Short mmCIF file of all heavy atoms in Angstrom, two decimals:
data_model
loop_
_atom_site.label_atom_id
_atom_site.label_comp_id
_atom_site.label_asym_id
_atom_site.label_seq_id
_atom_site.Cartn_x
_atom_site.Cartn_y
_atom_site.Cartn_z
N ILE A 1244 -55.22 46.37 63.84
CA ILE A 1244 -55.11 47.22 62.65
C ILE A 1244 -53.88 46.83 61.83
O ILE A 1244 -53.86 46.96 60.62
CB ILE A 1244 -55.14 48.70 63.07
CG1 ILE A 1244 -55.25 49.54 61.79
CG2 ILE A 1244 -53.86 49.02 63.84
CD1 ILE A 1244 -55.35 51.01 62.10
N TYR A 1245 -52.80 46.37 62.51
CA TYR A 1245 -51.56 46.06 61.84
C TYR A 1245 -51.56 44.68 61.24
O TYR A 1245 -50.64 44.29 60.56
CB TYR A 1245 -50.39 46.24 62.75
CG TYR A 1245 -50.30 47.64 63.29
CD1 TYR A 1245 -50.44 47.92 64.64
CD2 TYR A 1245 -50.05 48.76 62.43
CE1 TYR A 1245 -50.38 49.23 65.12
CE2 TYR A 1245 -50.01 50.03 62.92
CZ TYR A 1245 -50.15 50.29 64.27
OH TYR A 1245 -50.11 51.57 64.70
N LEU A 1246 -52.62 43.94 61.53
CA LEU A 1246 -52.74 42.57 60.96
C LEU A 1246 -53.75 42.59 59.83
O LEU A 1246 -54.13 41.56 59.29
CB LEU A 1246 -53.17 41.56 62.03
CG LEU A 1246 -52.14 41.23 63.10
CD1 LEU A 1246 -52.70 40.35 64.15
CD2 LEU A 1246 -50.92 40.56 62.49
N ARG A 1247 -54.19 43.75 59.40
CA ARG A 1247 -55.11 43.90 58.28
C ARG A 1247 -54.29 43.54 56.98
O ARG A 1247 -53.13 43.84 56.85
CB ARG A 1247 -55.70 45.28 58.17
CG ARG A 1247 -56.91 45.46 58.98
CD ARG A 1247 -57.65 46.74 58.57
NE ARG A 1247 -58.07 46.69 57.16
CZ ARG A 1247 -58.71 47.63 56.56
NH1 ARG A 1247 -58.95 48.82 57.18
NH2 ARG A 1247 -59.05 47.57 55.28
N PHE A 1248 -54.99 42.93 56.06
CA PHE A 1248 -54.31 42.37 54.88
C PHE A 1248 -53.57 43.47 54.10
O PHE A 1248 -52.41 43.20 53.74
CB PHE A 1248 -55.44 41.73 53.98
CG PHE A 1248 -54.87 41.25 52.67
CD1 PHE A 1248 -54.15 40.08 52.60
CD2 PHE A 1248 -55.18 41.99 51.52
CE1 PHE A 1248 -53.64 39.65 51.35
CE2 PHE A 1248 -54.70 41.48 50.25
CZ PHE A 1248 -53.93 40.36 50.19
N PRO A 1249 -54.16 44.65 53.84
CA PRO A 1249 -53.37 45.63 53.03
C PRO A 1249 -52.12 46.12 53.71
O PRO A 1249 -51.06 46.23 53.03
CB PRO A 1249 -54.40 46.79 52.91
CG PRO A 1249 -55.74 46.20 53.15
CD PRO A 1249 -55.51 45.06 54.13
N PHE A 1250 -52.18 46.31 55.02
CA PHE A 1250 -50.90 46.73 55.71
C PHE A 1250 -49.88 45.60 55.74
O PHE A 1250 -48.69 45.88 55.48
CB PHE A 1250 -51.24 47.14 57.16
CG PHE A 1250 -50.02 47.65 57.90
CD1 PHE A 1250 -49.54 48.94 57.75
CD2 PHE A 1250 -49.32 46.79 58.79
CE1 PHE A 1250 -48.40 49.35 58.35
CE2 PHE A 1250 -48.22 47.23 59.45
CZ PHE A 1250 -47.71 48.53 59.25
N LEU A 1251 -50.30 44.38 55.98
CA LEU A 1251 -49.36 43.28 55.93
C LEU A 1251 -48.72 43.07 54.61
O LEU A 1251 -47.60 42.81 54.45
CB LEU A 1251 -50.06 42.02 56.41
CG LEU A 1251 -50.16 41.69 57.84
CD1 LEU A 1251 -50.94 40.42 58.12
CD2 LEU A 1251 -48.72 41.57 58.46
N LEU A 1252 -49.52 43.28 53.53
CA LEU A 1252 -49.03 43.14 52.16
C LEU A 1252 -47.96 44.19 51.90
O LEU A 1252 -46.89 43.86 51.33
CB LEU A 1252 -50.17 43.22 51.18
CG LEU A 1252 -50.00 42.54 49.77
CD1 LEU A 1252 -49.79 41.08 49.98
CD2 LEU A 1252 -51.26 42.84 48.94
N GLY A 1253 -48.27 45.39 52.29
CA GLY A 1253 -47.26 46.49 52.08
C GLY A 1253 -46.00 46.25 52.90
O GLY A 1253 -44.88 46.49 52.36
N ALA A 1254 -46.16 45.79 54.10
CA ALA A 1254 -44.98 45.50 54.93
C ALA A 1254 -44.19 44.34 54.41
O ALA A 1254 -42.97 44.33 54.45
CB ALA A 1254 -45.45 45.15 56.41
N ALA A 1255 -44.90 43.37 53.85
CA ALA A 1255 -44.19 42.17 53.20
C ALA A 1255 -43.37 42.64 52.07
O ALA A 1255 -42.24 42.15 51.89
CB ALA A 1255 -45.20 41.16 52.82
N LEU A 1256 -43.89 43.57 51.29
CA LEU A 1256 -43.11 44.13 50.12
C LEU A 1256 -41.86 44.88 50.61
O LEU A 1256 -40.80 44.82 50.05
CB LEU A 1256 -43.98 45.00 49.27
CG LEU A 1256 -44.98 44.30 48.36
CD1 LEU A 1256 -46.00 45.25 47.83
CD2 LEU A 1256 -44.25 43.61 47.24
#
Side-chain angles (χ1 to χ4, degrees):
I1244 190 174
Y1245 301 115
L1246 291 174
R1247 275 194 60 183
F1248 177 74
F1250 181 80
L1251 273 179
L1252 204 59
L1256 283 166

